[in-house]
Amino acid sequence: QEQLVESGGGLVQPGGSLRVSCAASGFTLERYAIGWFRQVPGKEREGVSCISSSDGRVYHVDPVKGRFTMFRDRAKNTVYLQMSSVKPEDTAIYYCATGPECAGVSTMKVWGKGTLVIVSP
């Protein structure tokens, strides 16, 4: 059974750092595009960062460029989102998902259940 499990969320102060993880089981992450998404209650889920399946490039949306990085550990079949210089507007439930390519929420096939990140003093 293909499964993604996020972890590492929590409370972090503005300007601080946090790393969230996404561990895969039942399949190999490297074969797919892997994305991080976030959602605030009452708002649509939005993409944050994604590793392309075709060339391995990492893409970030403008609000997180220069602050977030995404990388994977092939041996652990896990991807990470390193969040730095966080802002209150980064508060959300963070989800990881896999799909054929980095092309948005609707193209992802397998989703984790999410991990909550709260940025607050």
Side-chain angles (χ1 to χ4, degrees):
Q1 181 180 0
E2 298 178 343
Q3 189 175 14
L4 297 171
V5 179
E6 302 93 337
S7 61
L11 177 64
V12 57
Q13 293 187 343
S17 298
L18 190 70
R19 180 182 294 179
V20 291
S21 305
C22 171
S25 59
F27 67 109
T28 301
L29 275 175
E30 191 171 357
R31 297 180 180 177
Y32 302 93
I34 312 144
W36 281 99
F37 300 81
R38 65 187 181 186
Q39 188 170 21
V40 175
K43 295 188 176 181
E44 291 188 357
R45 192 169 298 186
E46 62 178 9
V48 177
S49 304
C50 191
I51 297 176
S52 170
S53 61
S54 58
D55 58 11
R57 289 183 61 184
V58 181
Y59 299 90
H60 302 284
V61 294
D62 287 343
V64 307
K65 282 182 180 177
R67 300 189 299 119
F68 291 10
T69 58
M70 183 178 177
F71 59 98
R72 58 187 165 192
D73 184 328
R74 289 179 172 83
K76 294 183 178 180
N77 207 25
T78 298
V79 294
Y80 303 89
L81 183 69
Q82 178 68 49
M83 308 165 63
S84 302
S85 301
V86 295
K87 304 175 181 180
E89 52 264 42
D90 294 322
T91 296
I93 300 173
Y94 283 74
Y95 301 88
C96 63
T98 61
E101 196 42 271
C102 296
V105 173
S106 62
T107 64
M108 294 303 184
K109 305 300 182 185
V110 180
W111 288 85
K113 293 183 178 181
T115 186
L116 177 63
V117 173
I118 300 174
V119 182
S120 180

